[in-house]
Amino acid sequence: MTSTRSEFESAFRKLVAAHGSGTTNTGSVGCDRCVGAVDSTFCVDCKQIARCHYCRSCEGCTDCSHCTASRDCLGCSHCQESERCAQSAFLERCVACSRCTYSFGCVGLSGKDFHILNEPYDRQTYFAEVKRLRRELGLKEP
């Protein structure tokens, strides 16, 4: 137990500095070229992930599966090139979305499905438009 404010602040700064700087994969199985993976399985080229499975080129993600090139996501699956998203699935190039599915290029949405650039689409139109956009943007199919 720290007894003074300065002792507390010093100990806290040390913890913050040490967090996320580990390079050892702990409790992980089948991870290839990962750094700092904890309790993860079959991930490739990831950094500082925890309890992730089958992810590629992700960083700072926790409890994610089948994500690619995503950053700081929590509880997501099948997301690509997304950042700071939570409890979402099948997002592509999204930022700060939560509880969303099938979204492309969206920012800050919550609880939405089948959106492109924050605009709603019916299911059929969504998939046709995403296919067209991927072609136009030179992106390959997931």
Side-chain angles (χ1 to χ4, degrees), residues 53-98:
H53 310 286
Y54 300 97
C55 293
R56 298 182 72 76
S57 303
C58 291
E59 186 172 340
C61 295
T62 301
D63 295 323
C64 292
S65 70
H66 299 87
C67 293
T68 304
S70 294
R71 305 283 175 261
D72 301 317
C73 292
L74 174 63
C76 292
S77 69
H78 299 90
C79 295
Q80 295 183 47
E81 297 181 43
S82 295
E83 297 179 25
R84 300 185 321 274
C85 295
Q87 300 172 330
S88 297
F90 300 101
L91 305 184
E92 192 167 347
R93 299 185 74 185
C94 292
V95 176
C97 292
S98 66

Side-chain angles (χ1 to χ4, degrees), residues 12 19 26-27 33 37 71 86-87 117 121-122 127 135 138-139:
F12 180 69
H19 180 73
T26 307
R33 298 184 308 276
R71 305 283 175 261
Q87 300 172 330
L117 296 173
Y121 286 80
D122 65 77
F127 286 112
R135 220 177 17 252
L139 302 172

Side-chain angles (χ1 to χ4, degrees), residues 12-61:
F12 180 69
R13 280 192 301 276
K14 285 179 187 176
L15 285 172
V16 169
H19 180 73
S21 63
T23 58
T24 304
N25 296 331
T26 307
S28 296
V29 175
C31 291
D32 193 19
R33 298 184 308 276
C34 292
V35 176
V38 176
D39 298 331
S40 298
T41 56
F42 305 109
C43 295
V44 178
D45 294 324
C46 293
K47 295 179 184 174
Q48 307 304 327
I49 58 171
R51 297 179 306 279
C52 291
H53 310 286
Y54 300 97
C55 293
R56 298 182 72 76
S57 303
C58 291
E59 186 172 340
C61 295

